[in-house]
Amino acid sequence: MKHLLSTRDLDRDAALRILDTAEDMAATQQREVKKLPTLRGRTVVNLFFEDSTRTRISFEAAAKRLSADVINFAAKGSSVSKGESLQDTAQTLEAIGADGIVIRHWASGAPAVLAASGWIASSVVNAGDGTHEHPTQALLDAFTLRRRLHGEASRGRDLDGVSVLIVGDILHSRVARSNVWLLTTLGARVTLVGPPTLLPHGIGGWPVAAVHDLDAAIADTAPDAVMMLRVQRERMNEAFFPSAREYSAGWGLTSSRFRALPERAVVMHPGPMNRGFEIASEAADSPRSTVLEQVANGVSVRMAALYLTLAGGAE
Ligand code: NCD
């Protein structure tokens, strides 16, 4: 695998290969010495044109655990502010010795453009592009869900028949899109829930159900997991819902809704969370929340992604 650009173009075998490699990586992270020599002498650049906490430090930790050299590049404060193009920025990084470029960009499709451009020979890993995709987030979500369901026996298994609700600002969410493709490829049943204004047009072509009533969706789909999304106010330039209070009442995982979930249902959120808005602290901090597991598992999944793209997955 040369690049990791989206989950839409991963088939079941390719997805399971990444998840199983991440299991191998996770096993090495139980040891006292966590560092593997796998990418010694290689350089990974984190090229971030958008803010990030978890994704950036997770890719940095993953690259370092594999012994790669890591360069963190934030567009803010760089020559990008002087108008330097993506081509010139990427070629500059490669001239400095980058073998892999982990890119987050506000423009949907930027990582794919970079990978197809012929400007650079490096591997490209998409760390979130506009409202398009965030493949490593969906992979870490699937990894987390698989572990909660199958524990030690996760390797080789998909998510056949698992019921997942994805709730909230679907319109602006690359996390939702990447999860729709990956979870359904792995056999899960996905239901999207949100206010009509925050469900994308063209959703009819997606392999999912889409509804507006969260309480009915919880009752009807008996979810194994409820994935709450952050309301992405920075991508909104008009009123998508009347008020924060109405949003929470309709689509938030409030304490009372949390208590009404089936016993086995886990609560997921990619972070950053707006506590008290889309998710109550009671839900976010409960033992059934996987929020911090998702973060921890993200390192193993990104180790797998960097290993498979940069080392070609050979041995
Ligand atoms: C998400 C993102 O940036 O796409 N966060 C993340 O990477 N964990 C979701 C969000 O910003 O709401």
Side-chain angles (χ1 to χ4, degrees), residues 54-55 104 134 137 174-175 230 232 270-272:
R54 272 153 285 270
T55 305
R104 167 166 289 195
H134 192 352
Q137 178 69 44
R174 53 199 176 204
V175 175
R230 184 174 66 88
Q232 304 202 9

Side-chain angles (χ1 to χ4, degrees), residues 67-88:
S67 303
D69 292 322
V70 184
I71 296 172
N72 288 314
F73 176 103
K76 271 179 209 150
S78 76
S79 287
V80 169
S81 317
K82 302 178 188 167
E84 188 160 31
S85 68
L86 183 59
Q87 173 179 358
D88 289 329

Side-chain angles (χ1 to χ4, degrees), residues 139-278:
L139 285 159
L140 74 87
D141 292 336
F143 181 94
T144 302
L145 198 49
R146 197 171 76 148
R147 275 205 160 180
R148 276 277 178 142
L149 294 168
H150 304 306
E152 297 289 295
S154 288
R155 250 193 208 77
R157 300 193 64 163
D158 62 16
L159 296 171
D160 191 33
V162 173
S163 169
V164 181
L165 287 185
I166 304 181
V167 186
D169 183 1
I170 313 286
L171 179 65
H172 300 104
S173 180
R174 53 199 176 204
V175 175
R177 286 174 182 70
S178 284
N179 266 296
V180 163
W181 309 123
L182 182 65
L183 291 172
T184 54
T185 295
L186 293 174
R189 276 183 293 120
V190 177
T191 304
L192 305 178
V193 192
T197 48
L198 290 177
L199 291 175
H201 308 289
I203 217 167
W206 297 9
V208 298
V211 299
H212 305 309
D213 185 332
L214 178 53
D215 296 308
I218 291 170
D220 294 346
T221 67
D224 297 287
V226 180
M227 185 182 294
M228 304 306 297
L229 299 172
R230 184 174 66 88
V231 176
Q232 304 202 9
R233 296 185 203 241
E234 77 277 20
R235 299 190 205 275
M236 297 183 189
N237 47 18
E238 50 187 293
F240 282 89
F241 46 87
S243 70
R245 191 199 303 194
E246 272 182 68
Y247 182 88
S248 296
W251 296 281
L253 189 57
T254 57
S255 292
S256 55
R257 238 178 226 131
F258 171 63
R259 291 181 204 149
L261 288 179
E263 195 91 37
R264 66 170 189 286
V266 297
V267 173
M268 311 183 77
H269 193 302
M273 294 186 280
N274 292 305
R275 285 174 181 262
F277 184 32
E278 77 257 357

Side-chain angles (χ1 to χ4, degrees), residues 102-115:
V102 175
I103 176 172
R104 167 166 289 195
H105 204 286
W106 40 265
S108 299
V113 167
L114 193 57

